[in-house]
Amino acid sequence: MVDFEWYRSFAAIYKHNSVSEAAKARMMTQPAMSQHLAALEAEAGEPLFARTGRKIVPTERGKMLYSQVAPLVEGLEET
């Protein structure tokens, strides 16, 4: 079962192109952010980002998921 926090973390990573920067923005530790991403990728059954050094780039699946999830996450956060 997917945890809503995983989606929030995923959206932050997508926006910042960095797990560390996303963790800072969400006031989380980097290991916790990495765990959220790993859990969501396991649930999706495929990588959502390609790792390139310190930056990460969304895969096609990651881009598709972000386009579906981002408006929902933002709407709930505003509420």
Side-chain angles (χ1 to χ4, degrees), residues 9-58:
S9 294
F10 167 74
I13 293 167
Y14 191 99
K15 288 178 186 176
H16 293 280
N17 292 317
S18 166
V19 174
S20 297
E21 291 302 314
K24 288 178 192 174
R26 291 212 51 223
M27 293 182 263
M28 294 176 61
T29 65
Q30 184 273 329
M33 183 68 67
S34 293
Q35 288 176 343
H36 283 191
L37 178 57
L40 188 57
E41 287 180 326
E43 190 70 28
E46 61 187 294
L48 300 173
F49 293 96
R51 280 89 172 153
T52 57
R54 293 185 147 226
K55 297 288 181 184
I56 57 176
V57 179

